[in-house]
Amino acid sequence: MRWARQSWLRQSKLGISSDGLLCFLPSPRRTPEGPDLTLTIPDELLSLILDYLPPASSSSPYRDDELTDPLSLLLVCRRWQSCYTPILYRELYLGKIQRPNKLLKTLKHRPTFSGYIKTLDIYIGSGRINIDVLASIVQYSCLIRKISLYALSQEELRPLLEAIARLEYVEFLRLDCNPSICTIVHQLELQSLRHLKLSCYGLGIGNELRASEPPNDIVFTKHYAQRLLPLTHHYTGALISLTIATPAAPPEVTEFIMCWPTALIRFTAVGLTHSFLAVQYTPASMQRILGRQRDSLKDISLGIMPFRGVLGESGMPDFSSFCSLETLSMSRYNLLSETEANTLQKLSAPLLHHLRISFETEGQDGTEFSDLGANETAWFKNFASAAQSANTALKTIFIKFDPKKYFDGDVDEKLRWPWAYLDEAAQVLSESGITLTHSRPCWTIEQWEEEKVQANMSMAHDRGEHQDQIKEHMQESSVGTVFCRDCRYELEEKSESEREPNDGLKSHDNSGSEECY
């Protein structure tokens, strides 16, 4: 009773009554405006709400750039902890040297956590790392659906790759570790594998799991291929998507890999020009590679395929016999190298409805504004004329044109806004029933004209010849005062107190021979 009275005193406040006397006032109680939904909604809905927070891969305690705010949700209550823990462990990134040991210890003490891991990204840099620890983590994470391996160092990856090969539910696998053909065949035994990405794959010596250097000493023979993948295993795999990047093996090896899937649906080849065997991945060799799955392929995406452009050499494969092909992505370097009639004939697949043309240069020199002009518009016009008389299944064409957002050197005043050519081509193609769209322009027409003037002024400023040009432009322009970039930046940095009245001229040379507006 005494404790209750003290508790009542602590919760009470002194105040003045209506009679003006000192008295105890009861503690105010909040009247809830409505029910607390976080206490009444089911756990499934609460998990869906928490799933909208930053992805678990970026808020994981085992990631380099860990975020502490999402982790605080685990401290709200036990219910929130049970709902958010599966989200937290769903995607893990192993990039630190100390963190894998901590994760392995957690999985040993909390076996149920291993079932939450669905995506695992493993990065092995130049530092020293315990491969056995990573292999143990993969072994504990038996329900992984997606796994990516990126390795820079020359560590022995055999324990890790063998642990990956024993997973039963992996659907997506990315090997960016110079895998050898033996490693690829070993991973192809995964019955659940649906999507495979290979980067810098090549030939290995004997049973080596990583491609050897240099690979010119190894010859891929037919006998060697049959020993790795017997004829009885051809066209037995469940793979539906294959992506290759910067192959370090001849086209015969890639063609050998294409013999394994039963029915491949999607194929992507990028970075062919960056391979030291680029000269071998010609359109003719790509024709043989794709021919292994011509009856099932629905989506094909090809980067730049090098070719010499000599008489009689084709610039692109022939897709007319691909009876299931629906979407095709190619580089303008290959597509526009053919005549309009030849291109239309090679694109005469019965179900090919969507064509994607990329102007990207795959990181070589960058896309220039001049890469799209009157010649490309004329090609599309001739292509539309040929499509009117031919029986084509094409319905849409998408142009990916993302040039670098700056000018190199002087700019021709007559240089048109490049996307105007695409609008003209779209109008011509619409008459043939083909819809042409393109990526979003980086500049509007007004910004384009302004940037041209600024680029020429900056170049003239560097040469010290811009005074007359600026005066002439100001006489013809109704916009007002225009500064070159260098002068504009200097005037913006100059404070009002230091600026003199009518300070419209600023010398850039101690001699005062050159001035600009």
Side-chain angles (χ1 to χ4, degrees):
M1 189 70 181
R2 181 180 179 183
W3 175 86
R5 184 168 57 254
Q6 291 177 352
S7 176
W8 179 81
L9 288 174
R10 284 196 301 267
Q11 298 177 5
S12 302
K13 295 182 179 180
L14 293 175
I16 305 298
S17 65
S18 58
D19 299 334
L21 301 176
L22 183 65
C23 64
F24 287 102
L25 298 177
S27 59
R29 297 183 180 272
R30 296 181 179 178
T31 57
E33 299 178 357
D36 189 353
L37 295 180
T38 60
L39 300 177
T40 58
I41 61 176
D43 292 348
E44 293 78 7
L45 292 180
L46 180 60
S47 299
L48 291 176
I49 295 173
L50 296 177
D51 197 16
Y52 279 93
L53 294 174
S57 60
S58 61
S59 60
S60 170
Y62 308 103
R63 192 180 175 97
D64 295 347
D65 52 345
E66 61 183 44
L67 302 176
T68 56
D69 291 341
L71 298 180
S72 62
L73 297 176
L74 301 176
L75 306 177
V76 175
C77 62
R78 292 184 178 180
R79 181 166 177 256
W80 280 48
Q81 183 183 27
S82 62
C83 290
Y84 191 67
T85 299
I87 301 174
L88 183 66
Y89 282 84
R90 184 174 55 194
E91 299 179 6
L92 296 182
Y93 176 85
L94 303 183
K96 282 189 175 181
I97 298 178
Q98 300 88 356
R99 297 298 186 174
N101 298 323
K102 183 178 179 181
L103 175 59
L104 180 59
K105 183 179 179 180
T106 303
L107 296 179
K108 288 181 178 180
H109 288 80
R110 303 285 183 91
T112 56
F113 285 12
S114 61
Y116 300 150
I117 304 175
K118 297 299 184 292
T119 301
L120 185 61
D121 294 338
I122 303 176
Y123 174 81
I124 302 176
S126 56
R128 188 175 181 83
I129 191 169
N130 194 335
I131 300 298
D132 294 331
V133 173
L134 298 179
S136 300
I137 294 175
V138 174
Q139 184 178 358
Y140 273 96
S141 308
C142 55
L143 299 180
I144 291 180
R145 297 292 193 273
K146 180 179 179 180
I147 185 167
S148 301
L149 175 59
Y150 181 78
L152 287 178
S153 63
Q154 297 298 325
E155 296 284 346
E156 176 58 42
L157 301 178
R158 187 177 297 274
L160 182 57
L161 292 173
E162 290 179 352
I164 295 175
R166 288 193 295 267
L167 296 174
E168 299 181 1
Y169 302 100
V170 172
E171 299 178 356
F172 177 93
L173 176 61
R174 178 178 179 177
L175 296 177
D176 196 354
C177 56
N178 299 99
S180 66
I181 186 64
C182 298
T183 303
I184 298 172
V185 172
H186 193 49
Q187 303 300 328
L188 291 181
E189 298 177 0
L190 293 170
Q191 298 298 324
S192 59
L193 188 61
R194 298 293 183 271
H195 309 275
L196 178 62
K197 288 189 175 183
L198 303 173
S199 179
C200 302
Y201 61 94
L203 296 172
I205 301 176
N207 295 325
E208 291 291 333
L209 298 181
R210 305 190 74 171
S212 60
E213 297 179 2
N216 298 329
D217 300 336
I218 308 173
V219 180
F220 187 76
T221 62
K222 185 177 181 181
H223 175 73
Y224 181 50
Q226 291 180 358
R227 184 170 62 87
L228 289 175
L229 190 67
L231 294 176
T232 55
H233 290 67
H234 283 203
Y235 304 105
T236 58
L239 197 69
I240 62 174
S241 175
L242 175 63
T243 300
I244 63 172
T246 319
E252 291 77 13
V253 176
T254 306
E255 185 178 355
F256 164 77
I257 299 174
M258 294 285 284
C259 294
W260 177 68
T262 302
L264 194 67
I265 297 178
R266 187 177 298 106
F267 177 81
T268 303
V270 295
L272 300 179
T273 56
H274 298 289
S275 173
F276 60 89
L277 297 176
V279 293
Q280 299 186 22
Y281 280 87
T282 61
S285 62
M286 190 60 64
Q287 179 83 44
R288 295 192 299 270
I289 294 173
L290 297 174
R292 293 290 184 176
Q293 298 286 337
R294 74 162 58 91
D295 295 333
S296 59
L297 281 172
K298 295 183 179 180
D299 190 344
I300 298 177
S301 180
L302 302 176
I304 298 177
M305 293 173 288
F307 68 102
R308 295 172 297 177
V310 298
L311 184 63
E313 184 181 8
S314 177
M316 60 175 291
D318 188 355
F319 301 98
S320 58
S321 60
F322 288 67
C323 56
S324 302
L325 184 60
E326 299 177 357
T327 304
L328 175 64
S329 300
M330 286 192 62
S331 170
R332 51 86 62 184
Y333 175 77
N334 297 103
L335 189 68
L336 275 63
S337 64
E338 297 274 347
T339 62
E340 298 80 358
N342 290 341
T343 302
L344 192 62
Q345 191 277 328
K346 294 182 177 182
L347 299 179
S348 60
L351 299 179
L352 182 56
H353 299 320
H354 310 287
L355 177 62
R356 181 185 178 95
I357 305 175
S358 175
F359 279 73
E360 292 183 348
T361 58
E362 296 186 353
Q364 295 176 359
D365 298 325
T367 307
E368 301 286 348
F369 290 106
S370 58
D371 292 342
L372 180 60
N375 294 333
E376 287 71 22
T377 305
W379 189 94
F380 281 111
K381 290 181 179 179
N382 297 333
F383 181 83
S385 301
Q388 291 179 351
S389 58
N391 186 15
T392 178
L394 277 178
K395 295 182 179 179
T396 62
I397 297 178
F398 177 80
I399 305 295
K400 185 178 181 181
F401 181 68
D402 297 320
K404 49 188 179 183
K405 200 175 179 180
Y406 60 88
F407 290 104
D408 291 332
D410 291 325
V411 183
D412 187 0
E413 293 293 339
K414 298 181 180 179
L415 184 64
R416 293 182 60 190
W417 188 56
W419 292 271
Y421 295 106
L422 293 179
D423 294 338
E424 294 178 1
Q427 184 177 2
V428 175
L429 288 172
S430 62
E431 300 175 358
S432 303
I434 302 176
T435 302
L436 187 144
T437 57
H438 55 79
S439 54
R440 184 178 180 180
C442 60
W443 283 334
T444 62
I445 299 179
E446 293 76 11
Q447 292 173 341
W448 169 267
E449 297 297 335
E450 180 182 354
E451 289 295 330
K452 285 197 305 180
V453 173
Q454 297 289 354
N456 288 332
M457 287 183 178
S458 297
M459 290 300 300
H461 173 272
D462 295 337
R463 296 192 303 264
E465 303 172 353
H466 59 305
Q467 181 180 7
D468 296 337
Q469 296 181 6
I470 296 175
K471 290 182 178 180
E472 180 181 357
H473 177 76
M474 290 185 61
Q475 293 175 358
E476 298 177 356
S477 175
S478 58
V479 177
T481 304
V482 179
F483 302 98
C484 71
R485 284 191 177 90
D486 299 332
C487 299
R488 182 177 60 191
Y489 295 156
E490 292 180 11
L491 289 177
E492 288 177 354
E493 294 175 357
K494 189 175 182 180
S495 62
E496 293 293 339
S497 60
E498 297 177 351
R499 186 175 302 178
E500 300 177 359
N502 300 326
D503 188 11
L505 299 177
K506 182 170 181 59
S507 175
H508 288 267
D509 193 350
N510 294 332
S511 61
S513 58
E514 298 295 340
E515 297 175 343
C516 68
Y517 289 93

